[in-house]
Amino acid sequence: MADPLERRKAAKTGIDERHWSEKPLEEMKERDWRIFREDFSIAARGGQIPHPLRSWAESSIPKELLEVVDKVGYKEPSAIQRQAIPIGLQNRDIIGIAETGSGKTAAFVIPMLAFISSMPPFTDDIRHLGPYALILAPTRELAQQIETEARKFASPLGFTCVSIVGGRAVEEQQFNLREGAEIIIATPGRLKDVLERHVLVLSQCRYIVMDEADRMVHLGFEADLLFILDKLPSETMAGEDTGMMEVDVGGEDGDGGERVEVRRGRTRVTTLFSATMPPAVERLARKYLKRPAIITIGEAGRAVDTVEQRVEFVTGDEKKKQRMLEILNSGMYPSPIIVFVNQKKTADMVAKDLSRAGWSAATLHSGKNQEQREASLQSLRTGESDILVATDLAGRGIDVQDVSLVINYQMAGTIEAYVHRIGRTGRAGKQGTAITFLTNDDDEVMYDLKQEISKSPVSKVPNELAKHESAQHKVSREMKRKRDADDLG
């Protein structure tokens, strides 16, 4: 492998250094896909993982469904949608490890509707055989939230969603089911009750989603879940082709897999989402999912293992400037180096300070047009500039190889932005360092920052942060306002 200097010289000779966001789909190389997944904190394994979605327009979602996505107003796919939808469209079982609020509902509803669209339309002959798809959720509130979201997509396509949850009369739910429904959203306890009373059967249920499986188990629904899953029809429907076919499995992102034979007629798809994987959820997955693709979103950008995170309490611009120059002049960190700030005026000020100190610095912020931004990045890649001073607004598309150091001159406002910043170094398996200047004004993110650093095997939480009052528990804006008011009072 050429050393970083050689690589940067090569960049001058016209090697394609464009970020993936500037390339058409057909020009994406494996390296671009790796950076794409890093940028959205997507990790996927299970063999033959399809490329994630760059945009809705480039997806293989059926046209009528894409039109609904557009009408619903989904502009950009979320990270979980980018990877789960292409896998879901292959009718593969999925385990998704993702937090609440990550856009999971559309991530399973879109492939589910594509699947239902390929099934025979509901007629009087088959309505009574039950739904084609079943979504299980731990609480009534979540089930109703999913129902609202699912309806936005399902209704324009002519499909019916009905929820079966506790707190409503069984008679009312029985009435809602009289016409049949392609999709049922339910809490496990109430669904078990309805199945035992023979109000509903699951004879043709082919698509199962378990959302927030860890919470369902935590709330004591494991036995109900097993009861429901055992009521599902066998893997194949009568008269289906049950011959064998070969598929690739194993390996990460499609690498190093093996060819195995699977039964062609497998028509049930099971998707399980969970923020964590306690033993009970693993047991469920092992029993009911077949060779699932496993997607993990946002394990702190996975930068944690390769980036040593350091924190220093430094107050005031003069002291910050001195400390930044001390670090840079130590000779420990070869360029390219990135310095992150929160406002464009701070970026210009820091770049000026660096230039006065003999460093060659470029800036990247919202005050620059696309051409100027590209020129700044290019000057860093070719070695014309040693340091890039950037704001978060411009930070999303930064892809520069071999960044040895990230300095957070100002701490990011959220832990997600911090994780994204430090992920600019320690990429592609290399080691990197991130040094963050903290002040007492950063108290809203101190708790999260402490948690983040403690997850890293190569970093140590400094005493001053570990013992800081604001790092003991989450500080919300309201708490901060009240505390400031008390101080004034």
Side-chain angles (χ1 to χ4, degrees):
M1 223 27 211
D3 71 10
L5 220 77
E6 287 297 309
R7 299 252 291 271
R8 292 169 76 201
K9 277 192 193 130
K12 285 184 177 165
T13 60
I15 286 175
D16 188 352
E17 283 279 356
R18 288 172 303 160
H19 188 250
W20 59 262
S21 55
E22 296 155 32
K23 292 185 176 184
L25 186 61
E26 60 278 5
E27 285 181 31
M28 291 283 284
K29 301 275 188 294
E30 214 27 70
R31 176 175 176 270
D32 298 315
W33 286 115
R34 194 190 69 235
I35 288 164
F36 180 95
R37 287 191 294 265
E38 275 183 15
D39 277 352
F40 289 101
S41 304
I42 298 168
R45 56 198 170 89
Q48 296 298 92
I49 301 291
H51 291 312
L53 284 186
R54 301 197 320 165
S55 68
W56 295 116
E58 291 176 352
S59 76
S60 57
I61 297 169
K63 185 169 168 290
E64 61 277 16
L65 203 44
L66 264 184
E67 285 167 7
V68 178
V69 169
D70 190 47
K71 278 202 191 85
V72 169
Y74 278 39
K75 295 285 174 266
E76 288 283 324
S78 71
I80 186 74
Q81 290 161 7
R82 287 177 191 278
Q83 187 63 83
I85 291 172
I87 296 172
L89 290 171
Q90 296 180 335
N91 295 339
R92 273 178 78 175
D93 287 4
I94 295 174
I95 294 175
I97 312 292
E99 292 295 340
T100 316
S102 53
K104 286 185 308 212
T105 307
F108 57 71
V109 166
I110 290 171
M112 183 178 80
L113 288 169
F115 180 92
I116 294 173
S117 302
S118 68
M119 302 288 277
F122 256 30
T123 61
D124 290 342
D125 294 342
I126 60 171
R127 271 180 227 288
H128 64 284
L129 297 173
Y132 280 149
L134 172 64
I135 302 168
L136 293 163
T139 63
R140 184 164 67 202
E141 294 70 30
L142 181 61
Q144 284 162 339
Q145 208 176 303
I146 293 170
E147 182 185 16
T148 307
E149 196 67 13
R151 274 209 173 126
K152 286 183 202 168
F153 292 94
S155 300
L157 299 171
F159 299 132
T160 306
C161 302
V162 169
S163 64
I164 296 178
V165 295
R168 290 203 205 143
V170 174
E171 293 71 33
E172 181 198 339
Q173 291 173 343
Q174 200 166 349
F175 181 75
N176 291 342
L177 286 168
R178 74 198 183 287
E179 294 296 317
E182 286 89 351
I183 301 161
I184 281 183
I185 300 127
T187 48
R190 176 52 68 94
L191 182 63
K192 176 175 186 269
D193 186 29
V194 166
L195 290 170
E196 283 179 326
R197 292 182 187 209
H198 304 291
V199 169
L200 178 72
V201 292
L202 297 175
S203 324
Q204 55 186 4
C205 189
R206 293 266 158 247
Y207 211 104
I208 323 302
V209 178
M210 289 176 264
D211 195 13
E212 299 201 2
D214 47 356
R215 273 180 77 197
M216 288 199 276
V217 164
H218 182 68
L219 292 170
F221 287 130
E222 191 180 357
D224 295 350
L225 280 173
L226 297 174
F227 174 88
I228 293 160
L229 293 166
D230 287 338
K231 284 272 182 250
L232 295 167
S234 67
E235 289 287 277
T236 54
M237 293 166 96
E240 277 180 340
D241 173 8
T242 56
M244 303 301 272
M245 64 187 234
E246 278 200 339
V247 298
D248 287 281
V249 298
E252 174 127 3
D253 298 323
D255 300 334
E258 53 170 322
R259 302 287 286 173
V260 297
E261 285 200 326
V262 297
R263 202 164 283 289
R264 186 184 277 112
R266 205 178 87 70
T267 57
R268 187 161 83 216
V269 180
T270 309
T271 299
L272 182 150
F273 280 100
S274 205
T276 57
M277 285 298 279
V281 175
E282 279 187 17
R283 278 198 300 275
L284 270 179
R286 263 202 308 274
K287 185 169 179 191
Y288 295 101
L289 275 71
K290 300 284 186 297
R291 303 192 187 281
I294 300 166
I295 307 167
T296 309
I297 300 297
E299 267 192 335
R302 300 175 82 206
V304 193
D305 294 355
T306 53
V307 179
E308 186 193 346
Q309 302 171 62
R310 295 193 207 154
V311 170
E312 301 180 12
F313 278 80
V314 190
T315 311
D317 282 332
E318 202 45 50
K319 284 201 173 127
K320 281 186 180 181
K321 179 175 109 178
Q322 270 176 344
R323 183 64 190 124
M324 173 177 70
L325 292 173
E326 267 171 34
I327 293 165
L328 296 174
N329 294 331
S330 71
M332 287 169 65
Y333 307 102
S335 56
I337 289 164
I338 300 176
V339 176
F340 278 105
V341 296
N342 295 344
Q343 293 90 19
K344 55 186 176 191
K345 63 173 195 293
T346 318
D348 293 332
M349 177 195 85
V350 169
K352 223 176 248 159
D353 288 341
L354 288 167
S355 300
R356 283 200 198 105
W359 290 88
S360 132
T363 56
L364 194 66
H365 55 62
S366 62
K368 304 209 155 213
N369 63 29
Q370 197 48 50
E371 211 173 305
Q372 291 168 319
R373 290 181 193 193
E374 196 35 59
S376 292
L377 277 175
Q378 203 47 33
S379 72
L380 193 69
R381 286 180 185 134
T382 58
E384 203 181 311
S385 300
D386 304 301
I387 299 166
L388 180 71
V389 187
T391 59
D392 284 325
L393 205 62
R396 178 47 100 185
I398 295 179
D399 167 39
V400 176
Q401 289 191 359
D402 307 312
V403 171
S404 70
L405 173 69
V406 164
I407 295 178
N408 287 311
Y409 189 86
Q410 294 169 306
M411 172 61 187
T414 66
I415 200 65
E416 292 76 21
Y418 167 81
V419 164
H420 184 75
R421 286 176 176 190
I422 70 172
R424 303 306 92 203
T425 180
R427 283 160 91 84
K430 296 204 171 64
Q431 293 299 312
T433 305
I435 300 174
T436 300
F437 296 162
L438 270 191
T439 73
N440 286 331
D441 290 338
D442 298 314
D443 50 1
E444 277 178 45
V445 280
M446 281 187 195
Y447 175 79
D448 287 336
L449 181 62
K450 183 178 87 172
Q451 301 299 103
E452 201 55 59
I453 296 172
S454 63
K455 277 191 233 166
S456 158
V458 292
S459 312
K460 189 175 179 301
V461 180
N463 263 346
E464 203 172 347
L465 175 62
K467 294 190 168 136
H468 200 286
E469 183 196 354
S470 301
Q472 307 316 311
H473 46 77
K474 257 181 145 51
V475 176
S476 67
R477 266 199 193 116
E478 287 64 44
M479 284 161 69
K480 194 173 169 179
R481 245 182 251 123
K482 186 177 179 305
R483 199 173 59 205
D484 292 346
D486 290 347
D487 290 348
L488 287 171

